[in-house]
């Protein structure tokens, strides 16, 4: 497909202007210009966040990246860092927004409920994880935003006591676990919010489909190559050890038939718009 081939060539050849300031001595200093961008490590330090806290802030769209460096590394403008630093309550309020707890026991403490009750609430879809990690036993440990747990406790105090409602009992009897699906929905939604480019949006949706489903949905190899080139990287914290990565990979792919159908339908719609463009252009949101 000619359009897809052109998109791929542009993906490989994307180039962005470099903003530089040259001192009389000839030393290049990008940080002297007010709009110069800095890398993630420096941005995290200036926002007084740990690496993990900063990654979570970027994931949630609290910190918005600017145009990437020539090598593809994310960069953050001075204007963006100043916007965040000037917010009320900085830096404590910022840290509170990205604070997480891992596992049912720690999350239950925040809600004031037992680990068993919290697990039931999460498995039945009342609380959505914000991330995951794979422990040494290759078991998924879900991460939850502390701020969201507190909001849930204020909003649904009745869910923290008494017996499970009928709908929850049916889900538990069927051994359902909605945590992976709820997390995928959140993950995809956050990624889609970070770009308005039609091919990039299609790539986000394609990345959630199992390989065989993707081949059926996108039979053109050239288009699949474009989607693979634009696919988002695994989320921060995705394990590198092969055995753990294999466990985490299952979390990245839609599984229930109705979920797969939803993403296929969404991908079809996204590709219809993307194919109408001769190249990957358009308004790009912050990444």
């Amino acid at each position: 497909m000619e359009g897809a081939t052109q998109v791929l060539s542009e993906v490989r050849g994307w180039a962005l202007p470099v903003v530089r300031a040259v001192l009389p001595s000839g030393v290049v200093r990008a940080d002297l210009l007010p709009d110069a961008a800095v890398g993630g490590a420096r941005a995290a330090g200036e926002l007084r966040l740990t690496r993990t806290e900063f990654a979570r802030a970027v994931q949630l769209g609290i910190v918005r990246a600017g145009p990437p460096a020539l090598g593809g590394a994310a960069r953050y403008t001075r204007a963006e860092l100043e916007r965040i630093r000037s917010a009320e309550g900085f830096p404590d309020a910022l840290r509170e927004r990205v604070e997480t707890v891992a596992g049912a026991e720690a999350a239950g403490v925040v809600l004031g409920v037992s680990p068993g009750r919290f697990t039931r609430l999460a498995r039945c879809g009342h609380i959505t994880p914000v991330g995951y990690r794979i422990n040494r036993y290759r078991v998924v440990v879900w991460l939850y935003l502390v701020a969201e747990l507190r909001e849930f406790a204020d909003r649904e105090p009745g869910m923290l006591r008494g017996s499970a409602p009928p709908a929850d009992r049916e889900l538990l009897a069927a051994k359902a676990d909605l945590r992976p699906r709820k997390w995928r929905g959140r993950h995809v939604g956050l990624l889609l919010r970070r770009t308005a480019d039609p091919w990039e949006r299609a790539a986000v949706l394609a990345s959630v489909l199992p390989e065989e489903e993707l081949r059926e949905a996108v039979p053109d190899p050239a288009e699949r190559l474009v989607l693979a080139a634009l696919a988002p990287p695994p989320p921060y914290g995705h394990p590198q050890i092969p055995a753990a990565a294999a466990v985490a990979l299952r979390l990245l792919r839609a599984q229930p038939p109705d979920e797969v159908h939803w993403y296929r339908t969404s991908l079809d719609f996204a590709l219809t718009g993307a194919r109408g463009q001769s190249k990957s252009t358009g308004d790009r949101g912050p990444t």
Side-chain angles (χ1 to χ4, degrees), residues 37-67 74-87 90-91 93-95 97-98 190 193-195 285-287:
V38 300
R42 182 161 182 174
E46 294 191 13
L47 295 179
R48 305 183 198 177
L49 297 175
T50 66
R51 181 180 177 184
T52 298
E53 289 171 336
F54 181 75
R56 191 72 64 203
V58 173
Q59 173 202 8
L60 296 173
I62 298 171
V63 179
R64 301 170 301 199
R75 305 283 287 177
Y76 303 87
T77 65
R78 291 290 177 187
E80 175 66 4
L81 299 182
E82 183 55 33
R83 179 186 70 83
I84 296 170
R85 283 196 299 257
S86 64
F90 176 85
L94 176 59
R95 291 198 188 103
R97 293 178 68 185
V98 299
L190 289 171
R193 283 171 51 189
R194 289 159 61 175
T195 182
T287 60

Side-chain angles (χ1 to χ4, degrees), residues 133-257:
R133 70 185 186 204
I134 310 300
N135 68 15
R136 60 195 294 185
Y137 305 107
R138 303 179 194 172
V139 174
V140 179
V141 178
W142 292 105
L143 308 178
Y144 302 89
L145 286 172
V146 171
E148 290 185 352
L149 295 178
R150 290 171 177 159
E151 290 172 3
F152 178 81
D154 292 339
R155 186 179 68 253
E156 302 286 352
M159 299 290 292
L160 307 182
R161 64 180 70 89
S163 58
D168 284 10
R169 290 199 293 270
E170 290 181 9
L171 288 171
L172 294 174
K175 301 186 184 304
D177 186 353
L178 300 183
R179 288 173 295 184
R181 179 172 184 164
K182 296 280 285 185
W183 174 80
R184 280 191 293 272
R186 177 178 207 158
H187 179 60
V188 168
L190 289 171
L191 290 173
L192 290 176
R193 283 171 51 189
R194 289 159 61 175
T195 182
D197 178 83
W199 281 100
E200 289 182 358
R201 292 177 67 85
V204 169
L205 295 165
S207 70
V208 188
L209 288 175
E211 184 64 28
E212 61 276 12
E213 293 286 346
L214 179 59
R215 287 181 176 276
E216 291 182 8
V218 189
D220 187 337
E223 286 190 342
R224 291 202 304 273
L225 196 59
V226 171
L227 296 176
L230 295 174
Y236 179 79
H238 190 81
Q240 301 299 314
I241 300 175
V247 175
L249 183 62
R250 294 197 292 268
L251 302 177
L252 301 179
R253 300 289 184 264
Q255 296 178 13

Side-chain angles (χ1 to χ4, degrees), residues 99-145:
E99 181 183 4
T100 61
V101 291
E105 184 172 355
V109 169
V110 176
L111 289 183
V113 300
S114 69
R117 179 178 288 270
F118 178 83
T119 298
R120 188 259 293 174
L121 291 171
R123 287 177 63 99
C124 294
H126 300 292
I127 299 171
T128 301
V130 72
Y132 61 82
R133 70 185 186 204
I134 310 300
N135 68 15
R136 60 195 294 185
Y137 305 107
R138 303 179 194 172
V139 174
V140 179
V141 178
W142 292 105
L143 308 178
Y144 302 89
L145 286 172

